[in-house]
Amino acid sequence: MTKPDVNVATQKRAAIPALIGLLLTLAGPVAWILLMEHTWLWRTGLPAWVSMGAGLLIVLWAMRRDRRWRVRLPALASIGFSLLFVYGFYGEAALPAADAFEQLDVAPDFELRDHTKRTVSLADSLDEGRVLLVFYRGHW
Amino acid sequence: MSCVQELVGLDQISSDFEDAGVKLMAVCVDAPSESRKVVKKNDLSFPILADEAREAIKAYGLVHAGEGPKGTDVAIPAHVLIGPDRKILWRHVSRRIQDRLSPKDVLEHVRGAAG
């Protein structure tokens, strides 16, 4: 009995895995943002790296297996998106070094209005005990 | 992505800070009217100081230039624990926007700091 004459190309189709890989890649940053309340996950970006990593492995595998454009396109989109995320995570989100802040020994005194427009002085506040200042970027 | 979440987290354990003898104060460049909305909406128990003139963030070396609305300067996110004589007992500054301490971590540092 001879083997059935199968077309090699029909066996090596990977369009669906490529799409799944792309979805996993896109889901990574989404999961990261949804889980941002968990400070450690937010700081490390773990949900994004795990899901994007899995997605990338799948699209790379799919691209090797099936070289048609319907596989290549989602795979390339997946790779491009991952690179963008890496740039955003490490490049765009980088803050300037705060050397002057690191070298302060004595906290500069100030008088600022609080949210009720009452003037608050640091020195006066310290009469009642220690003060923890939390600088943040604003609510916008 | 909201930086207000951190304030809400700190507020949830504000009694622990009180027990440690520490007064919480947030600082940002928003106008008092803006911060008032944040305090009301999240029922915060500590004040938000308005550094509209960017005096405090300049004095503390925490200016992130041009990153605010209309290219204005905003604060680099940071924590400073200040003791008597305005001595700095502990500090932490973020290196990236997503680089944030959890409120519990902040409390531990505050408890562990001398003074």
Side-chain angles (χ1 to χ4, degrees):
Chain A
M1 218 166 83
T2 54
K3 274 187 182 175
D5 181 30
V6 283
N7 182 348
V8 175
T10 60
Q11 275 187 338
K12 293 196 168 185
R13 285 193 170 165
I16 289 167
L19 274 180
I20 292 172
L22 175 60
L23 284 177
L24 272 175
T25 312
L26 297 173
V30 173
W32 175 60
I33 287 169
L34 290 177
L35 292 167
M36 74 184 284
E37 274 177 61
H38 304 271
T39 321
W40 185 74
L41 295 180
W42 178 247
R43 191 168 57 222
T44 56
L46 196 69
W49 302 128
V50 169
S51 188
M52 276 193 337
L56 279 176
L57 282 178
I58 292 174
V59 298
L60 288 175
W61 170 84
M63 216 168 34
R64 274 189 55 153
R65 189 181 161 86
D66 182 345
R67 296 184 178 266
R68 289 174 307 161
W69 279 105
R70 69 178 65 175
V71 174
R72 270 191 201 174
L73 272 180
L76 291 174
S78 182
I79 294 166
F81 183 78
S82 303
L83 290 175
L84 264 181
F85 183 79
V86 169
Y87 169 72
F89 194 89
Y90 288 106
E92 191 59 32
L95 294 165
D99 296 333
F101 174 71
E102 298 282 6
Q103 281 156 23
L104 282 179
D105 291 321
V106 175
D109 195 16
F110 57 72
E111 280 191 356
L112 293 173
R113 290 189 304 166
D114 71 5
H115 58 285
T116 64
K117 298 190 179 174
R118 194 177 58 98
T119 300
V120 174
S121 126
L122 176 64
D124 290 352
S125 305
L126 284 167
D127 289 343
E128 299 156 30
R130 297 184 291 170
V131 167
L132 178 67
L133 292 181
V134 181
F135 287 88
Y136 77 109
R137 291 167 63 85
H139 88 282
W140 41 273
Chain B
M1 126 175 57
S2 159
C3 312
V4 172
Q5 267 180 354
E6 182 182 359
L7 302 186
V8 174
L10 287 170
D11 190 54
Q12 283 165 354
I13 53 168
S14 62
S15 60
D16 292 321
F17 285 101
E18 232 169 81
D19 293 346
V22 170
K23 195 177 151 87
L24 279 171
M25 297 202 284
V27 184
C28 77
V29 299
D30 291 342
S33 54
E34 293 295 324
S35 294
R36 194 178 171 168
K37 287 181 208 158
V38 176
V39 171
K40 270 198 163 177
K41 191 179 164 203
N42 300 290
D43 199 21
L44 298 182
S45 59
F46 53 84
I48 299 180
L49 308 184
D51 188 20
E52 287 170 283
R54 277 75 174 167
E55 288 164 22
I57 61 171
K58 267 179 208 150
Y60 280 77
L62 291 171
V63 176
H64 195 183
E67 284 293 309
K70 295 174 190 157
T72 52
D73 300 345
V74 293
I76 299 173
H79 299 81
V80 204
L81 180 66
I82 307 169
D85 301 324
R86 285 187 278 121
K87 199 177 155 208
I88 293 181
L89 305 173
W90 169 73
R91 80 194 84 199
H92 170 266
V93 61
S94 296
R95 307 310 308 264
R96 300 199 307 271
I97 286 174
Q98 63 271 27
D99 172 19
R100 278 202 310 226
L101 291 178
S102 74
K104 276 186 184 168
D105 289 341
V106 174
L107 181 64
E108 266 177 39
H109 283 292
V110 164
R111 281 180 173 157

